[in-house]
Amino acid sequence: MTDLLPVPTVAHLPRYDGARLGEPTLDTWQLAPHNRWTFSHVDEFVPTVAIARRPATEIASGTVGIESLRAEIPGLDRRLATSFTDAFVVVQGDVVLADHYREGFGPDERHLLMSVSKSICGLTVGTLVDAGLIDPAKRVDHYVEPLTGTAYGDATVQQVLDMTVDVDYDEDYRNPASHVQAQDRVAGWRTRHADDPADTYAFLTSLRGGGAHGRMFRYCSAGTDVLAWVIENVSGRRYADAVSEQLWSRLGCDDDATITVDAGGFGFANGGISCTARDLARLGRLMLGGGELDGRRVVSAEWVRRTMAGGDPAAAAGSVFQRVHPGGSYRNQWWATGNDRGNVYAIGIHGQYVWVDPPTDTVIVKFSSWPEPVTEEWNRLHAELFRDVCEAVGTAVGS
């Protein structure tokens, strides 16, 4: 590892160079001098929607190459329909074996990834570790001074990556009083309360904990945003730009991804990224390629190896996750099943998946719109579906 560069002392980066008269807000973004920048960044202040390249009535639905999977997996169409599938893509090597979309949703459309976004953040951290800009063994407050004295300040970057930080955070998606709903409000995803922090930077500085880090797996969405703040400070780039430069632009994707931003311009790293299914499959291809894709080295083989090997299963003992995947663990913002196939995956609430199957060199991407955020049964049903698909792919390859 090379010597670490000096860490910037600014609390966080401005939205644009030269924002000397205060940061633009919802009330000032149309005024000079901010409008020289904001008029080309309107989607940071007002919700936007894409103007599609073709009418929705012309979006093709159906399948490409899924017939062979139907033959091997009885009831596949029913399983996809009853699990609220929006997109289902199976890629083996460089070949798309299945490409299925619900009616009204097409291959060129982006879909919200929810917490699959966390795994993108983890890989971005990996590229900066490779570059010598982040040392996972160092404390978070070495990189983000405003987090000193918070739940995350004295945790190491690796503990944040593995979600073993002792933090008081309620991840109950249905509880209006939970931390995760408060963070949604701050991110602009829900109507704000009068006493909510101004932005995600301020929200993160409000979190407290017991300081007993590294002992127990504690799933906490805020940790990914802490990592994003670290990324910003060491790269000198806003999170969206850093992900673009370090990861997305190097994957050979066909389309831009997007990310939601809050009132302070902070990219919602833990759940706000959207992209197409085929582009997301390239993330899984990167993992199976040991950090290399189409002859390009994106992240080190060692980072991918450690990620796919998983973390400490004992840290997740007794979790709902291990009721589905006994011996499973969490490492570098990815889930490791600990099963006989060595499957690792990224997951987001309401049914977003990247499933990686090393024995068959296969990646499965599934976009969904489950009515519930997450349940043990939904996770179990999808693990069974993905295993059946991978076994069918293996049978086809062996025949």
Side-chain angles (χ1 to χ4, degrees), residues 228-374:
W229 199 347
V230 171
I231 288 169
E232 288 194 338
N233 275 15
V234 303
S235 69
R237 306 289 288 170
R238 294 175 64 201
Y239 181 68
D241 295 329
V243 173
S244 172
E245 293 176 3
Q246 296 296 129
L247 185 67
W248 204 255
S249 64
R250 299 160 69 185
L251 292 177
C253 296
D254 292 328
D255 295 285
D256 293 342
T258 63
I259 187 169
T260 66
V261 294
D262 68 11
F266 190 90
F268 203 30
N270 82 69
I273 294 178
S274 298
C275 70
T276 67
R278 285 201 179 193
D279 280 348
L280 187 59
R282 299 187 69 79
L283 202 72
R285 296 297 317 148
L286 180 70
M287 298 294 283
L288 286 172
E292 188 172 305
L293 185 62
D294 298 337
R296 295 185 299 273
R297 172 61 59 188
V298 178
V299 66
S300 68
E302 179 62 15
W303 184 266
V304 174
R305 185 197 66 77
R306 292 199 306 267
T307 302
M308 295 188 69
D312 179 10
S319 65
V320 174
F321 167 59
Q322 284 199 354
R323 291 207 294 268
V324 178
H325 302 288
S329 60
Y330 194 81
R331 179 75 167 179
N332 292 339
Q333 305 279 290
W334 285 77
W335 301 87
T337 63
N339 66 9
D340 58 334
R341 303 182 70 89
N343 294 127
V344 299
Y345 66 100
I347 184 175
I349 60 172
H350 298 284
Q352 327 317 321
Y353 283 94
V354 181
W355 187 270
V356 178
D357 188 62
T360 60
D361 194 30
T362 298
V363 176
I364 301 172
V365 168
K366 188 174 187 291
F367 291 158
S368 317
S369 46
W370 299 345
E372 301 87 15
V374 64

Side-chain angles (χ1 to χ4, degrees), residues 182 184-188 190-199 263:
D184 277 358
R185 296 194 303 271
V186 170
R190 300 176 187 270
T191 301
R192 289 181 58 87
H193 293 177
D195 58 348
D196 283 337
D199 54 27

Side-chain angles (χ1 to χ4, degrees), residues 29 90 233 391:
W29 70 271
V90 181
N233 275 15
E391 289 179 347

Side-chain angles (χ1 to χ4, degrees), residues 16 29 34-45:
Y16 64 93
W29 70 271
H34 295 313
N35 58 2
R36 291 301 302 273
W37 183 84
T38 58
F39 280 7
S40 60
H41 294 79
V42 172
D43 53 357
E44 293 205 15
F45 297 90

